[in-house]
Amino acid sequence: MKLAALRPAGDLLLQPAPRAGVLLPLPLSGAYDYKLPKGTNVLRGLLVSAPLGSREQMGVVWGAAEGSVGDNRLKEAVPFEGHPAIPEKLCDFVDWVAQYTLSPPGMILAMVLRSGRAFEPPAMRTAFVRGGETPKRLTSARERVLALADDGLARSVGTLAEEAGVSPAVVRGLIEAGALAATELPEFPPFPVPDPTFATVELNGAQGEAADGLRGEVAAHRFAVSLLDGVTGSGKTEVYFEAVVEALRQDRQVLILLPEIALTVQFLERFAERFGCRPAEWHSDLSSKERTRVYRAVMNGEARVVVGARSSLFLPFKELGLIIVDEEHEQAYKQEDGAIYHARDMAVVRGRLEQCPVVLASATPSLESYVNATSGRYAHRRLGARHGAATMPAVRLIDLRQEKAEAGSWLSLPLREAVAAALAAGEQSMLFLNRRGYAPLTLCSACGHKMTCRDCSSWLVEHRYRKRLACHQCGYEIATPPKCPECGAEGTLIACGPGVERVAEEFAVLFPQARVAIASSDTMHGPRETQAAIRAMAKREIDVLIGTQIVAKGHHFPQLTLVGVIDADLGGSDGDLRARERTFQLLHQVSGRAGRAEKAGTVLIQTRNPKDAVMAALASGDRDAFYEQERLYRERAGAPPFGRLAAIILSGHDGGAVTDAGRALAKAAPAAKGVKVWGPTPAFYHLLRGQTRERLLVQVERNVDVQAYLRTWLAGVKLSNKVRVTVDVDPVSFF
Ligand SMILES: [Zn+2]
Ligand SMILES: [Zn+2]
């Protein structure tokens, strides 16, 4: 990293050097003391280059020095040229997240300093305008370039060539002849400004009411949380776009969080239709150059609206006026490695620190948000009916115990008939199965051996197109063996259960004429192929889309009238607190894909438990009945949001050390009122990437400070350094 130092003027040399606590983006316990050059205006958030060992490290002035180290032994940190600083509210946010998640603050700061280059002085690039000379030889190609340059705008060689429809050599010839002259432009073109008046929108009654409420909150510049709660297709996006309009009018910035990058493409287009340009994007797929551009534009206020994944929560907004968390119930908002945090919950915290409204949008809210909204802590803004002519789909359960299909068949007769009818009517269908690959389990029919991962306690999933068995936990893969590795028998390995590939195989036999595509987050069906399949579906180039949960969310397929759920019971019985809620949300979202335009939709759900509360709520369409039942269940169990949970995960390559550590930790748990500790128990994947994993679960009553409890507990035990301890406050996954 190139750092330019700012040296103080000579007359300041007599004053004592200021000192400060500097936080480094590393997993250290806290800030370190440094001297700063004399005359430095010591501000919280000031970016400095600080020596650490033999290298220079970017750091941030965090507060007063702790003061135990003498001046002569203190190293000097030097501010960056131009003194860029991290906004103070963002520093406060870092402290808050660190405190809440029990993470070292430097680890949270590292998420803020994601683009080191953004703090360097902006580079320039060369562009060309009309020069003083007129070339002697004027071809029609040259004339086109000069005519273009006559508008006075500076363009790069590439842009001139492209816009004039000539080769770059023509442009270079004109530069040599002096007909084009070089000029310097900032490295990045400015971000376009979204135009609130670009498109007119008509809102229905409920939408208008919700939009008015949100606009008022944005205009008031104060913290408030709303749950924007409406069935899929009820027009939530149009409503929160009105809040975006108000924020733009107030000259403030907007952050829109989406759970997955896969959803952004359609979203960006939708935004452009409303505001005339795309918003800035922030996610892990950006190149380092794009990252620099966006980061700077967010910091100086040029980027007015940012759409991003959870990490965009840590961007240095200059004047944040609104945060929207779309699909707020999504598990993808939980960051599960490194610093473990929930982006939805932290978005609410950031909104409070920034004093701006936060909008949580969902058709199937998390139970937490539902309870907050119905108890009045959040404003509950409900959108009832579907927008325009669309009506809710009819949901029917298919009892697989009665509709017993022959072995190796996954589509029951009623589902087949419905697909055939949709095909005959020229309408589209979607088959949903939340399982990638061909078959989840391969076993030997001679000896019963199950093919499992070398490094994890999980089955290997067959991917038949690629002729491989793969671990979906760690990525370990082998070629499908010709004989059983255990007993050596040949031709005895059999595939058990279906994945999407297997459903597609059966489908192709049943409906050889249908145009079909698979969408699955997979190496075979990677993001690009998935996007292509989704686009083909939207354009009606295929009749049937077979997919995993990637097809469940956000997509709008106007001609889709039939959704078939192959196995609704998947993931319903793993003893995890949120399994029922998740199953309901996912199936409800999938169902919502059907009949989003003028044509009515039908949803057929194959299940072995038609009496189950989740299935009953889906069939009756009574969503809130499910939520109320789930609320009661959680309340009785003291489970979130009525109590709080934290998980402690112990992991390491030395299985014995992990087991010992688990026991030692459980023994050392301080007794406290309103606190229960369970475990240690082997984690769901007891072996993951070669590491043994044990879990302890802490459940506390709502009024207990769980962070303080955990700190006291963990500080009181000395564990083997072969064991890694991870704390997950408010866990959402129980693996
Ligand atoms: Zn065998
Ligand atoms: Zn594995």
Side-chain angles (χ1 to χ4, degrees):
M1 192 185 306
K2 187 172 60 105
L3 298 171
L6 257 199
R7 288 291 161 192
D11 58 344
L12 291 165
L13 288 172
L14 295 173
Q15 296 173 11
R19 38 163 77 198
V22 171
L23 189 63
L24 304 173
L26 301 168
L28 307 165
S29 58
Y32 285 2
D33 281 7
Y34 281 92
K35 278 192 292 205
L36 293 163
K38 287 178 188 176
T40 305
N41 187 11
V42 182
L43 288 171
R44 177 160 158 93
L46 185 68
L47 277 157
V48 294
S49 170
L52 182 74
S54 58
R55 63 200 170 104
E56 285 288 316
Q57 174 74 50
M58 184 193 277
V60 178
V61 169
W62 212 246
E66 184 255 329
S68 61
V69 181
D71 240 4
N72 51 342
R73 285 175 44 226
L74 221 49
K75 289 188 175 151
E76 187 182 66
V78 181
F80 275 66
E81 190 174 5
H83 287 244
I86 299 295
E88 200 172 342
K89 284 172 186 166
L90 183 50
C91 298
D92 296 345
F93 183 58
V94 168
D95 278 338
W96 206 98
V97 176
Q99 196 288 128
Y100 190 84
T101 60
L102 270 83
S103 308
M107 242 169 107
I108 309 296
L109 181 65
M111 297 197 281
V112 171
L113 303 179
R114 277 278 164 80
S115 177
R117 266 238 301 134
F119 302 107
E120 292 174 12
M124 302 301 278
R125 68 189 159 97
T126 305
F128 296 88
V129 291
R130 187 77 164 85
E133 308 289 324
T134 303
K136 294 186 186 67
R137 198 171 57 82
L138 262 181
T139 60
S140 72
R142 286 187 159 195
E143 275 173 4
R144 283 208 299 282
V145 176
L146 293 181
L148 186 65
D150 276 339
D151 67 5
L153 289 180
R155 292 177 178 85
S156 69
V157 172
T159 310
L160 277 167
E162 198 188 313
E163 287 186 27
V166 303
S167 72
V170 174
V171 178
R172 277 190 220 105
L174 287 168
I175 295 168
E176 268 165 41
L180 291 173
T183 178
E184 293 283 283
L185 286 184
E187 184 179 4
F188 301 115
F191 268 94
V193 179
D195 174 6
T197 61
F198 183 78
T200 47
V201 188
E202 277 190 34
L203 302 177
N204 64 27
Q207 283 180 312
E209 207 174 294
D212 283 346
L214 294 179
R215 270 194 295 257
E217 281 170 3
V218 174
H221 293 209
R222 64 179 162 75
F223 171 63
V225 188
S226 296
L227 175 63
L228 186 57
D229 180 357
V231 294
T232 37
S234 61
K236 292 184 289 294
T237 313
E238 287 86 344
V239 171
Y240 71 62
F241 275 174
E242 293 306 298
V244 174
V245 165
E246 186 58 38
L248 292 170
R249 293 216 169 102
Q250 300 279 334
D251 251 342
R252 307 191 90 197
Q253 291 169 292
V254 179
L255 169 62
I256 303 174
L257 291 171
L258 296 180
E260 280 172 43
I261 306 171
L263 294 177
T264 40
V265 181
Q266 266 198 346
F267 184 85
L268 296 174
E269 284 161 14
R270 200 156 171 199
F271 186 92
E273 280 165 24
R274 176 65 183 84
F275 293 100
C277 66
R278 288 179 163 218
E281 289 174 68
W282 182 265
H283 50 69
S284 57
D285 269 8
L286 292 188
S287 69
S288 123
K289 201 172 158 184
E290 288 170 304
R291 214 164 249 271
T292 303
R293 179 185 181 215
V294 175
Y295 197 96
R296 265 192 208 148
V298 170
M299 192 160 50
N300 65 26
E302 187 190 300
R304 307 308 300 168
V305 180
V306 179
V307 171
R310 56 188 180 227
S311 60
S312 51
L313 205 49
F314 293 91
L315 284 171
F317 287 93
K318 193 179 174 206
E319 47 214 343
L320 192 56
L322 172 66
I323 303 174
I324 291 156
V325 185
D326 205 349
E327 308 285 356
E328 66 91 29
H329 61 279
E330 279 292 338
Q331 233 190 130
Y333 281 123
K334 183 76 189 243
Q335 161 103 11
E336 296 279 12
D337 36 44
I340 300 178
Y341 67 94
H342 200 302
R344 176 199 59 228
D345 299 347
M346 295 306 116
V348 172
V349 173
R350 181 125 197 221
R352 186 160 51 75
L353 294 171
E354 301 276 351
Q355 282 298 300
C356 77
V358 179
V359 179
L360 311 177
S362 176
T364 51
S366 61
L367 194 80
E368 278 83 350
S369 297
Y370 178 83
V371 170
N372 278 329
T374 48
S375 69
R377 276 190 71 197
Y378 294 173
H380 200 182
R381 305 190 189 284
R382 296 198 83 144
L383 305 177
R386 284 194 161 192
H387 195 50
T391 51
M392 290 305 288
V395 178
R396 218 174 82 214
L397 303 178
I398 299 175
D399 186 345
L400 283 183
R401 296 167 310 179
Q402 282 164 22
E403 298 291 343
K404 184 103 188 64
E406 56 267 41
S409 172
W410 321 106
L411 282 78
S412 66
L413 194 60
L415 183 54
R416 289 180 197 185
E417 286 169 354
V419 172
L423 284 171
E427 294 168 5
Q428 290 180 299
S429 310
M430 188 165 94
L431 297 179
F432 171 79
L433 177 65
N434 201 16
R435 201 144 59 182
R436 297 182 277 150
Y438 184 84
L441 168 66
T442 301
L443 73 80
C444 171
S445 58
C447 74
H449 175 71
K450 290 174 181 162
M451 299 295 293
T452 53
C453 177
R454 180 192 57 183
D455 300 324
C456 310
S457 47
S458 67
W459 294 339
L460 291 177
V461 177
E462 180 180 1
H463 290 254
R464 190 159 285 191
Y465 294 161
R466 291 191 293 131
K467 301 186 173 62
R468 297 185 77 76
L469 301 179
C471 171
H472 285 179
Q473 297 310 314
C474 72
Y476 171 76
E477 279 195 9
I478 52 169
T480 307
K483 52 187 180 183
C484 173
E486 189 66 24
C487 71
E490 272 183 60
T492 57
L493 290 177
I494 50 172
C496 301
V500 276
E501 288 180 11
R502 199 166 190 182
V503 171
E505 183 185 78
E506 182 186 358
F507 186 87
V509 173
L510 292 170
F511 302 99
Q513 308 298 330
R515 298 169 301 169
V516 59
I518 300 182
S520 157
S521 55
D522 214 289
T523 35
M524 170 71 197
H525 307 282
R528 204 163 298 153
E529 197 174 320
T530 297
Q531 284 299 335
I534 286 167
R535 223 168 272 145
M537 185 73 177
K539 286 190 191 155
R540 287 217 83 235
E541 290 163 5
I542 55 171
D543 304 310
V544 179
L545 184 62
I546 300 177
T548 59
Q549 60 171 344
I550 204 148
V551 301
K553 301 158 198 167
H555 309 294
H556 183 62
F557 305 124
Q559 298 301 318
L560 174 66
T561 57
L562 174 68
V563 169
V565 176
I566 302 295
D567 185 350
D569 308 327
L570 264 188
S573 58
D574 53 2
D576 144 1
L577 159 78
R578 289 187 170 81
R580 279 144 37 99
E581 180 188 337
R582 259 200 319 266
T583 304
F584 177 79
Q585 285 163 339
L586 186 57
L587 295 183
H588 187 93
Q589 295 266 327
V590 176
S591 305
R593 297 305 117 210
R596 284 171 62 99
E598 287 71 25
K599 290 177 187 157
T602 306
V603 181
L604 296 180
I605 296 177
Q606 301 193 140
T607 175
R608 268 167 223 87
N609 304 296
K611 294 274 180 294
D612 180 84
V614 172
M615 298 306 146
L618 287 166
S620 66
D622 192 351
R623 189 200 77 172
D624 287 5
F626 172 75
Y627 278 95
E628 287 304 325
Q629 194 186 358
E630 193 66 18
R631 175 216 290 263
L632 273 178
Y633 163 77
R634 297 257 190 109
E635 198 163 7
R636 268 188 229 123
F642 303 99
R644 303 183 53 201
L645 294 175
I648 300 176
I649 302 112
L650 303 166
S651 57
H653 287 282
D654 182 338
V658 173
T659 310
D660 290 348
R663 283 200 200 113
L665 200 56
K667 226 182 194 174
K673 196 177 166 294
V675 179
K676 283 185 237 168
V677 176
W678 285 293
T681 52
F684 185 86
Y685 292 110
H686 190 213
L687 198 61
L688 192 67
R689 296 182 181 88
Q691 298 204 31
T692 300
R693 297 163 75 244
E694 298 257 349
R695 292 174 64 97
L696 291 108
L697 193 64
V698 183
Q699 181 176 15
V700 305
E701 289 170 11
R702 255 200 94 86
N703 55 0
V704 173
D705 182 345
V706 69
Q707 281 85 4
Y709 179 83
L710 289 167
R711 266 194 206 97
T712 313
W713 181 10
L714 293 171
V717 222
K718 180 92 190 80
L719 297 177
S720 156
N721 57 12
K722 291 178 189 162
V723 180
R724 195 179 122 102
V725 181
T726 311
V727 179
D728 181 356
V729 178
D730 307 331
V732 297
S733 108
F734 292 79
F735 287 169

